[in-house]
Amino acid sequence: MKERFLFNKGAMKKILVVEDARYMSETIAMMLEESYEIVGVAVNGREAISKYKEEKPDLVTMDLVMDEVDGIQAIREIKRYDPNALILVISALGSPEQMEEAMEAGADEYLWKPFTVKIIQEVVEKLLSTR
Amino acid sequence: MAKTKILVVEDEGIIAKDIGNRLKDMGYIVPAIALSGEEAIKKAAEIQPDLVLMDIILKGGMDGIDAAGQICTRFNIPVVFLTAHTEENILQRAKLTEPFGYIVKPFEERELHTAIEMALYKYKMEEKLRQTYEKLKELDKMKTNFLNVAYHEMRSPLAPIIANVSLLEQGDFTAKQKRSVHIIKKSAEQLEWLINQVLEVTRIDAGKVKLTLESVSIPEIVTNALESLKPLADAKKQAICIDVSERLQIEADERKIAAIFGNLASNAVKYTGKKGRINITVADRGEDVVVTIADTGIGISEENMPRVFERFFMVDTSLTRRGGLGLGLSIVKEYVRLHGGKVWATSELGKGSNFSFSLPKKQKHVAI
């Protein structure tokens, strides 16, 4: 038991990237993969929900404007499934009103695009340290 | 071409019949005669005539002028008044219904005929103009929508560019390569700033810009803005003087106040030459604060002064001008207005400009 505990402690925290722009999702993954395990990339809200259920990631980075199920719907759905889910919204197209809506839907923090590696690493670390 | 249909409105049956016959002799069709204002409106709706010949004094509750007003606004049918009355008050009331003619009884046939033809011609021209106007309005809307989409699309590749530049900055590069990365970064940031300005204007037009109120420290705003302007001001050996009380706080939207001050201060640095002076004063007037940015720059001519806060207006539109989109001051004006404040400027060409804005310390209501 003790050994398993140690193993778990050393394991990387898991992150699910939800982003429909390929270069952007790849970039977010590149920025976070040294310190975290990227368990998948979802390109819309529907995929985000199913991948969340499969992978149970420690944190989700969530785009807002996407085809089919959008980010706000996905946030609601994920939070309903797991109220402890940790969701970081990363959006460029979202207006301040949409960001507010996302926070009301249950998002834990938001980040405006464009952002730098320093900012995303700081925000992700801060969010995960609360758990 | 189909014959012109004319609706005759006249409460004296015999006179109405006579007018009808004379119109038929001229080659027009008279599908109906209305004896009252109410009937005139009903018949106009049914028949959709090309023109209404309208008497003014009618029996019943509605006179010819009221009926003409309704026919014009509801059915967009041209009206020509045919009346014995030329009193000033009647004429003035009739004018308000935008008639296409006013014929005084007794009239001559030739006169009636030419008046009707002129009215029909004017109406046709007006229709053409109206259609052109509608078409232009539609095109303008399409263009605005297109630009909105285009700017959003242009913005999205910027996010991965800026993000990846920040990744590259961590890399182990030669000095030259680092310089390249730095230039890419600065250029991408500049492009982002330009696109954001355009998008902000479209948001202002759509009424989407709202205030997020908090306690804002004016000295902090001033210090932060000047810090980012320091490299350019230093390069031009400009002297910047600041007079502000240490702890002046107001209730405002911090990002917007920073944008207001940043914009005016950056203009001052941009339009002031080498070894120029820029004085920044913040006056606490109790209810509100007044911030003034005075420079010794190129100044603004009296002719251009009334237009400097106008959108797209640029004093110099040549390609050698000093950059920017001509949107900055219009955004400043809107942000100040949202806070319930005022912005104004005075200037002397060749001597310098003073830009000031006032902001209430407390927001009584949120302006829309």
Side-chain angles (χ1 to χ4, degrees):
Chain A
M1 278 308 282
K2 201 181 174 191
E3 268 171 25
R4 194 166 159 213
F5 174 71
L6 283 171
F7 173 74
N8 267 349
K9 200 181 172 190
M12 279 176 162
K13 293 236 165 109
K14 295 195 283 185
I15 292 179
L16 171 64
V17 176
V18 186
E19 167 67 60
D20 64 349
R22 209 190 115 220
Y23 287 153
M24 203 61 231
S25 57
E26 204 179 321
T27 306
I28 294 172
M30 275 161 67
M31 288 176 158
L32 299 173
E33 68 194 3
E34 269 175 40
S35 314
Y36 309 97
E37 182 191 350
I38 309 298
V39 292
V41 172
V43 298
N44 62 41
R46 199 190 314 282
E47 266 188 45
I49 296 158
S50 68
K51 286 204 170 149
Y52 187 87
K53 290 175 181 171
E54 259 169 55
E55 300 288 348
K56 304 265 168 22
D58 299 286
L59 182 138
V60 182
T61 76
M62 181 69 76
D63 192 9
L64 285 188
V65 184
M66 291 179 294
D67 274 347
E68 294 178 55
V69 180
D70 71 16
I72 288 168
Q73 279 173 275
I75 293 168
R76 283 209 186 94
E77 193 61 41
I78 290 172
K79 282 281 178 175
R80 187 154 41 213
Y81 171 77
D82 176 8
N84 289 320
L86 208 47
I87 301 175
L88 166 63
V89 175
I90 304 180
S91 179
L93 295 183
S95 58
E97 294 76 36
Q98 273 174 304
M99 279 296 196
E100 217 167 279
E101 204 187 333
M103 295 303 280
E104 271 163 27
D108 296 275
E109 188 56 274
Y110 64 86
L111 206 58
W112 289 104
K113 289 177 200 165
F115 55 87
T116 61
V117 60
K118 190 167 159 264
I119 290 168
I120 192 173
Q121 282 173 351
E122 271 172 20
V123 172
V124 167
E125 202 185 311
K126 195 189 93 204
L127 275 175
L128 284 169
S129 73
T130 62
R131 293 296 149 90
Chain B
M1 215 179 92
K3 282 190 177 175
T4 305
K5 286 189 286 181
I6 298 177
L7 171 65
V8 175
V9 186
E10 166 66 64
D11 62 350
E12 296 282 347
I14 301 164
I15 299 174
K17 227 169 176 167
D18 175 52
I19 295 171
N21 286 334
R22 286 158 82 173
L23 288 171
K24 280 174 200 160
D25 288 346
M26 292 174 205
Y28 302 117
I29 299 173
V30 181
I33 285 170
L35 299 171
S36 70
E38 290 87 347
E39 200 187 349
I41 293 167
K42 208 176 127 220
K43 291 248 161 80
E46 270 169 35
I47 303 164
Q48 294 285 321
D50 300 301
L51 188 134
V52 177
L53 205 55
M54 179 76 78
D55 190 10
I56 288 184
I57 308 298
L58 297 171
K59 294 190 186 86
M62 183 185 274
D63 75 357
I65 294 173
D66 291 335
Q70 292 219 25
I71 288 172
C72 172
T73 51
R74 279 166 64 183
F75 316 121
N76 185 28
I77 296 168
V79 173
V80 171
F81 288 112
L82 181 60
T83 176
H85 294 271
T86 54
E87 293 93 329
E88 192 58 26
N89 64 330
I90 292 185
L91 195 62
Q92 291 307 326
R93 265 186 67 217
K95 249 169 70 181
L96 294 176
T97 66
E98 298 170 11
F100 282 79
Y102 198 103
I103 305 165
V104 182
K105 288 185 206 167
F107 59 90
E108 275 185 52
E109 224 154 84
R110 293 190 305 178
E111 204 185 335
L112 181 64
H113 182 59
T114 49
I116 289 172
E117 286 305 305
M118 284 302 116
L120 289 169
Y121 173 75
K122 273 194 268 177
Y123 177 73
K124 209 170 95 188
M125 288 298 119
E126 216 173 73
E127 259 317 272
K128 244 190 194 162
L129 273 178
R130 195 203 311 273
Q131 278 166 15
T132 312
Y133 171 71
E134 290 298 328
K135 178 101 199 167
L136 284 175
K137 226 166 70 177
E138 181 66 29
L139 282 173
D140 183 58
K141 208 172 133 195
M142 273 171 68
K143 204 163 126 185
T144 306
N145 286 345
F146 165 77
L147 283 177
N148 209 0
V149 172
Y151 282 114
H152 272 115
E153 286 296 310
M154 283 181 215
R155 199 174 185 264
S156 23
L158 273 173
I161 292 175
I162 291 175
N164 281 283
V165 166
S166 75
L167 274 172
L168 281 178
E169 277 180 321
Q170 297 178 329
D172 217 354
F173 289 125
T174 65
K176 205 171 153 186
Q177 285 166 330
K178 273 187 184 155
R179 185 71 195 149
S180 286
V181 172
H182 179 75
I183 290 169
I184 294 172
K185 180 180 155 185
K186 286 290 160 197
S187 306
E189 282 171 359
Q190 170 76 358
L191 188 54
E192 197 221 349
W193 182 81
L194 289 169
I195 292 174
N196 281 349
Q197 279 227 313
V198 179
L199 285 175
E200 188 63 1
V201 167
T202 64
R203 278 172 47 78
I204 288 172
D205 283 351
K208 283 186 187 161
V209 177
K210 305 257 153 61
L211 298 182
T212 311
L213 297 176
E214 56 194 312
S215 179
V216 178
S217 153
I218 297 290
E220 222 175 284
I221 296 274
V222 172
T223 317
N224 289 344
L226 293 183
E227 203 162 297
S228 57
L229 287 170
K230 199 172 182 298
L232 182 57
D234 283 352
K236 290 170 121 178
K237 296 200 170 67
Q238 292 170 343
I240 302 184
C241 254
I242 311 163
D243 179 12
V244 55
S245 120
E246 283 294 311
R247 22 161 179 236
L248 185 53
Q249 303 257 343
I250 64 166
E251 187 189 15
D253 183 319
E254 182 159 20
R255 280 176 70 167
K256 292 187 178 66
I257 302 302
I260 294 166
F261 183 78
N263 204 295
L264 296 177
S266 123
N267 275 349
V269 171
K270 201 156 89 177
Y271 293 107
T272 299
K274 276 191 178 154
K275 293 184 179 167
R277 262 186 91 79
I278 293 162
N279 283 329
I280 294 160
T281 48
V282 181
D284 184 345
R285 299 200 303 193
E287 292 275 300
D288 62 0
V289 293
V290 176
V291 181
T292 301
I293 297 129
D295 66 48
T296 57
I298 58 173
I300 301 156
S301 72
E302 228 170 289
E303 181 198 343
N304 286 326
M305 196 47 147
R307 303 193 58 196
V308 288
F309 291 103
E310 256 175 46
R311 187 180 293 178
F312 309 127
F313 180 75
M314 283 185 274
V315 169
D316 181 4
T317 51
S318 66
L319 289 173
T320 52
R321 64 197 179 77
R322 301 175 190 220
L325 294 168
L327 295 176
L329 287 179
S330 75
I331 294 175
V332 164
K333 191 181 167 191
E334 178 62 17
Y335 284 178
V336 171
R337 189 192 71 83
L338 279 171
H339 282 90
K342 279 201 177 76
V343 59
W344 66 94
T346 56
S347 184
E348 204 177 323
L349 199 60
K351 295 257 171 81
S353 306
N354 286 9
F355 278 83
S356 303
F357 59 94
S358 65
L359 295 168
K361 280 190 190 163
K362 286 254 176 288
Q363 290 292 317
K364 289 187 191 76
H365 65 281
V366 178
I368 298 162

